[in-house]
Amino acid sequence: MKIENHTFEELQPGDSQSLRRLCTQDDLLVFANVSGNHNPMHLYDLDGDGDGQPEAVAPGMFLGSLVSAVLGNLLPGAGTLYRAQSLVFHNHAHAGDELESRVTVTDKNEKDLTVTLATEVRRLRDDALILSGVAVVEAPRRKLNYSSHDLPGMIVQRHRHFEKLLKRAEPLAALVTAVVCPEEPNSLGGALLARSHTLIEPVLIGDPGRIAVAAETLGADLAGIEIIAEADPAAAARRAVALVHEGRAGALMKGHLHTDQLLRAVLDKAVGLRAGRRLTHVFVMDVPGLAHLLMVTDAAINIAPDLRTKMDIVQNAIDLALSLGIEMPKVGVLSAVETVNPDMPSSMDAALLSKMAERGQITGGLVDGPLAMDNAVDIASARIKGISSPVAGRADILVVPNLDAGNMLAKQLTYLSHAEAAGLVLGARVPIILNSRADDDMARLASCAVAALHHARGTGQR
């Protein structure tokens, strides 16, 4: 975006400019560290007033900085310097609020080349006045312009969304989980790590000798953990499914075997774990800089899903989002465009899924599409395209056209945006935890927490 300033000579009373900004929890963390103000009233995971709820109230000077951003960027713009600023606070803003800061020229002083402007910040959802005041600034004398893309950026790396999931799962009883072929350090280590956090109680099914070697490599003690001997991976997968039928396991976890070996046992028509819907995969992702969890589906099982399969993909993802505490999940069905194009099947499917949700054929969430990636996750992009939708710019769930697109998207978020990804297969009688050998400890813990929360909702534990 090109930004051009307004010199003292150009400014006139009545000139006005504004900026909109979604106040995020990351904003408040960054402001706390930059300013040194660590008042718990302003931090998302702290309770500053003892009422049992985190406040995440935007600091007054953070709100003041939103006014400063309009002055420094737009009106008068580059070259502006403060002389004075008064602030009156009328209301509180919180993380999650979209705010608009506005300045309006009220007077010019030819003697000292200062400009007086009325300033305010409003909350957009109800037009509540949050802040008002008066600014006196030295206006620029020289014309300047620059591109916003030339400015440095910053991303907060702390994975707070997964930390919240772990905290949410803490009160639950450990989920008994059949771990299939945990015969190398990564797969065994993930199960043992989740056990140490009381997320799961693993039952290890596989070759006892290989499991023992993996434990020795980790320096882990397997005392008190049940081990069921099954040297053949296919037999181990079938035994895990049998444990579910016997009521001895509430989840499955993939160890050191191919995914199709595990799913073949799950999908067995006679003794499998089919539950009426297609099996679908969801990545639950903690993306740095994003104000909420992001779910990507389907990126691992259904290669080229038809419309009926996409219905199950969407419904499974909504059900999981509800399990994670998202009250009304917003589903963005992705295509390359945001308009329906008969020559682009993904746009047609997206429109039909949106209509199905409107008619009650998909329940529990808001579904909209087709949406391109930019206007699914970025409010400003949605506005530029003229898209008015409760989902556009705010999607919790991204439904991709096919496995290729989903796999690429999930890996781009992981390796370029440094996101953490928890993987779960849905649509069976129990959740199935799929971890990758590349997953770190947080991703493994989050996968188990997601499974525990989903199982708990299905069994009415909370």
Side-chain angles (χ1 to χ4, degrees):
M1 180 176 68
K2 286 292 184 182
I3 299 176
E4 184 177 276
N5 70 352
H6 300 264
T7 64
F8 180 85
E9 290 75 15
E10 293 173 329
L11 293 168
Q12 297 297 327
D15 289 350
S16 185
Q17 288 282 2
S18 66
L19 282 175
R20 291 182 176 183
R21 183 184 182 111
L22 177 66
C23 176
T24 70
Q25 295 173 351
D26 283 342
D27 288 334
L28 304 190
L29 282 174
V30 170
F31 190 84
N33 283 280
V34 171
S35 68
N37 175 11
H38 294 95
N39 179 352
M41 291 294 292
H42 306 313
L43 301 181
Y44 73 90
D45 55 353
L46 298 178
D47 176 15
D49 58 9
D51 65 354
Q53 297 293 326
E55 278 69 41
V57 177
M61 291 302 102
F62 172 80
L63 299 172
S65 71
L66 300 185
V67 171
S68 177
V70 187
L71 295 170
N73 289 325
L74 300 180
L75 192 74
T80 299
L81 292 173
Y82 258 129
R83 283 284 190 90
Q85 173 76 63
S86 65
L87 300 173
V88 179
F89 298 95
H90 304 273
N91 213 324
H92 294 306
H94 296 80
D97 287 340
E98 190 177 7
L99 306 172
E100 182 177 69
S101 49
R102 179 174 293 278
V103 305
T104 303
V105 176
T106 59
D107 192 25
K108 294 172 63 175
N109 188 328
E110 299 284 350
K111 293 182 179 179
D112 59 4
L113 302 178
T114 60
V115 179
T116 302
L117 305 99
T119 62
E120 67 175 31
V121 175
R122 290 183 177 272
R123 186 169 54 219
L124 284 179
R125 61 180 165 84
D126 56 2
D127 198 37
L129 181 63
I130 305 296
L131 172 157
S132 65
V134 175
V136 179
V137 302
E138 296 178 17
R141 298 298 305 274
R142 184 167 64 94
K143 198 71 175 173
L144 295 170
N145 61 74
Y146 58 96
S147 172
S148 60
H149 296 296
D150 296 333
L151 301 177
M154 183 178 70
I155 293 176
V156 177
Q157 295 295 327
R158 183 176 178 182
H159 296 292
R160 54 187 168 81
H161 302 308
F162 276 1
E163 291 169 1
K164 286 183 179 180
L165 284 183
L166 296 179
K167 188 174 182 180
R168 188 180 181 90
E170 278 178 3
L172 301 174
L175 176 61
V176 179
T177 302
V179 187
V180 186
C181 299
E183 298 168 354
E184 50 81 47
N186 279 317
S187 56
L188 179 61
L192 297 181
L193 178 67
R195 182 179 189 253
S196 71
H197 284 260
T198 69
L199 294 170
I200 69 169
E201 181 56 44
V203 178
L204 310 180
I205 308 171
D207 184 296
R210 294 193 185 101
I211 293 173
V213 170
E216 185 178 353
T217 301
L218 294 169
D221 183 3
L222 300 181
I225 299 176
E226 182 179 2
I227 300 175
I228 298 175
E230 288 286 1
D232 177 63
R238 291 193 298 270
R239 187 72 186 96
V241 168
L243 287 185
V244 175
H245 285 296
E246 294 164 12
R248 295 184 54 203
L252 303 183
M253 178 185 284
K254 175 182 174 289
H256 191 55
L257 78 166
H258 293 295
T259 300
D260 60 351
Q261 289 179 298
L262 177 59
L263 296 185
R264 192 174 296 119
V266 171
L267 292 171
D268 187 284
K269 291 183 179 180
V271 294
L273 299 176
R274 292 173 180 265
R277 290 190 198 150
R278 287 291 295 265
L279 291 194
T280 66
H281 180 272
V282 177
F283 275 122
V284 180
M285 309 197 76
D286 189 333
V287 184
L290 195 63
H292 54 82
L293 281 170
L294 185 68
M295 298 164 63
V296 176
T297 186
D298 182 332
I301 293 182
N302 293 285
I303 297 173
D306 59 15
L307 181 61
R308 186 177 296 277
T309 302
K310 286 182 180 179
M311 286 179 63
D312 287 348
I313 288 172
V314 172
Q315 191 64 68
N316 284 343
I318 289 173
D319 290 348
L320 179 60
L322 293 169
S323 300
L324 303 184
I326 302 173
E327 293 183 1
M328 182 56 71
K330 294 177 283 294
V331 182
V333 188
L334 297 183
S335 183
V337 294
E338 60 280 343
T339 55
V340 178
N341 183 342
D343 295 325
M344 192 173 291
S346 61
S347 73
M348 297 289 287
D349 285 352
L352 288 169
L353 290 166
S354 179
K355 179 57 71 174
M356 288 174 176
E358 187 180 309
R359 297 286 179 89
Q361 293 172 264
I362 298 171
T363 61
L366 301 174
V367 182
D368 193 18
L371 293 173
M373 181 66 186
D374 56 348
N375 46 61
V377 298
D378 184 78
I379 292 174
S381 296
R383 287 205 182 101
I384 290 171
K385 295 288 182 67
I387 302 171
S388 178
S389 159
V391 175
R394 303 175 177 87
D396 303 300
I397 300 167
L398 299 178
V399 179
V400 297
N402 53 49
L403 187 146
D404 282 340
N407 189 273
M408 291 175 192
L409 174 58
K411 287 181 177 176
Q412 285 166 354
L413 290 171
T414 300
Y415 291 99
L416 297 181
S417 299
H418 309 291
E420 298 275 7
L424 207 66
V425 174
L426 305 169
R429 286 179 51 183
V430 297
I432 302 169
I433 302 164
L434 290 187
N435 284 323
S436 165
R437 282 177 292 179
D439 287 345
D440 64 11
D441 287 351
M442 178 57 83
R444 293 174 186 274
L445 286 173
S447 295
C448 294
V450 168
L453 290 166
H454 192 52
H455 177 267
R457 181 171 183 267
T459 55
Q461 292 182 39
R462 55 182 183 84

